[in-house]
Amino acid sequence: MDSCRVVGLISGTSVDAIDVAVADMRIDQGVIELAPAGHTELDYPPHLRDELLTMASRGTSAEQLCKLDTRIGQSFAHAAATAISEFGPADVIASLGQTVHHWVEDGTCLGTLQLGQPAWIAELTGLPVISDLRVRDVAAGGHGAPLAGLFDRMWLRAEIALNIGGIANITLPGGTAFDTGPGNALLDAAAEQLTGKPFDEDGALALAGTIRQDLLAHLLADPYYVLDPPKSTGKEHFNAGYLNAALAEVPEVGAADLMATLVELTAVTIARACAGPGEPSRVVASGGGVRNPALMAALARRLDVVTSDELGVPSDAKEAYLTALLGFLTWHGIPADPRTGAGPRLLGSITPGRDPLRMPAPAADNVSQLRVVETLGGHLARS
């Protein structure tokens, strides 16, 4: 099968930037070969990021949703066009958009909403866009998140995959994937309140603090942690209001001690989720959290951790490469099974580009492995 170049777009729950990854992919005897062709990230306009961070607490009207959907779509379009200009032409774009609400009740996901109107991406780039990649999984009884389980199961075998975004998620050997709880969500909320900055740079505050066991015990009592997978959560639950309510239950906590305690919360809940029978597995970590030295040190005290960079997948672009993989599967008619509770489904909706839509013939759906390579078939990846 000829190679296909896919641009993957996503902005995670931390809302820190739009991540873009360009991948050359093809199917070779039941194995998808993925050659990273480049990745970058582009900041949201500051006013747009502020709107996204505050919309949950203030409520949002239909007018505001319309404006956000348009502005996010335009920002994603600019990000895709920038990547194409930098890394070369592409065939198709996949966009996971910006999650603004993930509706979970009593352990069941009832709906999920991602903004970033794909028509803006198709119009600016002229390419077909595969978007809305979570909803079909939810409609079929899944959680729609974390979709990373698909990438991880195909790519890794014995290792545990860990992604630390606003929410942390893992994929266990065998393919079970679920959200473990807060990754950076509470850390970033606290940093914003304490310093006015979006995160604790280099984990400096956390490294200077002491863990408050009373606050940690209160936070660990959250019933989410004892739910069985598949399960998912979001900043609808783990947010600044949640943190402030917890702080009201304990004596005053200093800034450094608060950050140290929240680092410990993330590390403990991840480590507990990774625990299982037999010998502990190596954990392959990615996401923005790997740039926090305090958090990585806390994880290293409990787990054998390496970053995905060491295995050929840039840790800050892994979810964008996941998006590209999801788009590649749908483009070639291959059902995806992220194992969030639904089973295999063709995911997403397709917005045509400038030319008439011509999709490749559906491929066999027995693809079960992903191989990350430097080039496709010994030849330089197209640029």
Side-chain angles (χ1 to χ4, degrees):
M1 176 177 291
D2 293 337
S3 64
C4 173
R5 174 164 282 194
V6 187
V7 178
L9 302 166
I10 184 175
S11 176
T13 48
S14 293
V15 197
D16 48 2
I18 300 169
D19 295 319
V20 191
V22 181
D24 289 306
M25 284 183 274
R26 72 171 186 179
I27 301 172
D28 182 20
Q29 298 182 345
V31 177
I32 295 178
E33 291 186 335
L34 185 155
H39 68 276
T40 187
E41 65 175 33
L42 288 88
D43 292 337
Y44 274 126
H47 66 87
L48 180 54
R49 183 175 188 272
D50 291 344
E51 283 187 67
L52 284 166
L53 290 172
T54 59
M55 66 177 294
S57 60
R58 72 181 182 205
T60 305
S61 67
E63 177 187 359
Q64 290 167 319
L65 277 176
C66 176
K67 291 178 178 178
L68 283 172
D69 195 31
T70 297
R71 290 168 181 161
I72 295 168
Q74 291 169 337
S75 296
F76 270 58
H78 173 67
T82 299
I84 291 168
S85 174
E86 184 172 351
F87 303 118
D91 300 300
V92 63
I93 295 171
S95 174
L96 265 170
Q98 177 67 66
T99 298
V100 294
H101 194 77
H102 194 64
W103 179 19
V104 179
E105 288 185 12
D106 300 324
T108 300
C109 184
L110 301 175
T112 188
L113 178 62
Q114 287 72 47
L115 298 184
Q117 174 51 241
W120 293 100
I121 307 172
E123 189 64 27
L124 183 62
T125 65
L127 296 178
V129 181
I130 303 169
S131 62
D132 223 11
L133 287 155
R134 298 187 190 276
V135 176
R136 181 65 182 274
D137 187 76
V138 173
H143 274 259
L147 296 178
L150 174 75
F151 187 105
D152 298 332
R153 186 177 74 252
M154 295 176 68
W155 178 46
L156 302 174
R157 288 296 179 263
E159 293 98 342
I160 295 171
L162 164 66
N163 184 72
I164 314 171
I167 301 299
N169 61 70
I170 64 169
T171 305
L172 298 174
T176 300
F178 58 95
D179 291 337
T180 64
N184 304 315
L186 298 182
L187 285 162
D188 291 349
E192 188 78 40
Q193 291 184 3
L194 294 169
T195 69
K197 297 179 180 179
F199 56 89
D200 179 17
E201 189 168 359
D202 295 327
L205 266 180
L207 289 170
T210 301
I211 297 164
R212 279 283 298 268
Q213 295 296 335
D214 54 347
L215 176 60
L216 179 62
H218 180 80
L219 291 167
L220 286 172
D222 190 299
Y224 178 79
Y225 301 122
V226 297
L227 293 175
D228 292 328
K231 60 181 180 177
S232 62
T233 187
K235 292 172 80 172
E236 297 77 19
H237 183 59
F238 294 108
N239 53 34
Y242 174 94
L243 178 60
N244 291 335
L247 288 171
E249 299 296 321
V250 298
E252 184 175 354
V253 181
D257 291 352
L258 174 58
M259 298 304 292
T261 304
L262 294 177
V263 161
E264 189 75 358
L265 172 70
T266 294
V268 167
T269 52
I270 288 172
R272 288 180 178 178
C274 291
E279 291 295 319
S281 298
R282 184 173 68 166
V283 176
V284 181
S286 60
V290 303
R291 297 196 294 266
N292 184 331
L295 179 53
M296 291 302 286
L299 287 170
R301 290 193 292 270
R302 298 170 170 84
L303 301 166
D304 176 15
V305 184
V306 299
T307 67
S308 63
D309 303 83
E310 298 175 53
L311 279 70
V313 177
S315 57
D316 55 355
K318 184 186 160 201
E319 291 218 311
Y321 281 114
L322 157 69
T323 308
L325 173 63
L326 291 168
F328 179 84
L329 291 174
T330 297
W331 191 241
H332 289 85
I334 303 172
D337 185 5
R339 298 195 183 174
T340 68
R345 294 292 187 282
L346 277 171
L347 302 182
S349 302
I350 300 176
T351 303
R354 188 172 298 118
D355 299 324
L357 188 64
R358 293 187 178 91
M359 298 177 65
D365 61 3
N366 59 349
V367 177
S368 60
Q369 187 177 347
L370 174 70
R371 182 185 301 129
V372 178
V373 297
E374 291 186 8
T375 61
L376 289 183
H379 300 289
L380 289 176
R382 193 179 69 189
S383 62

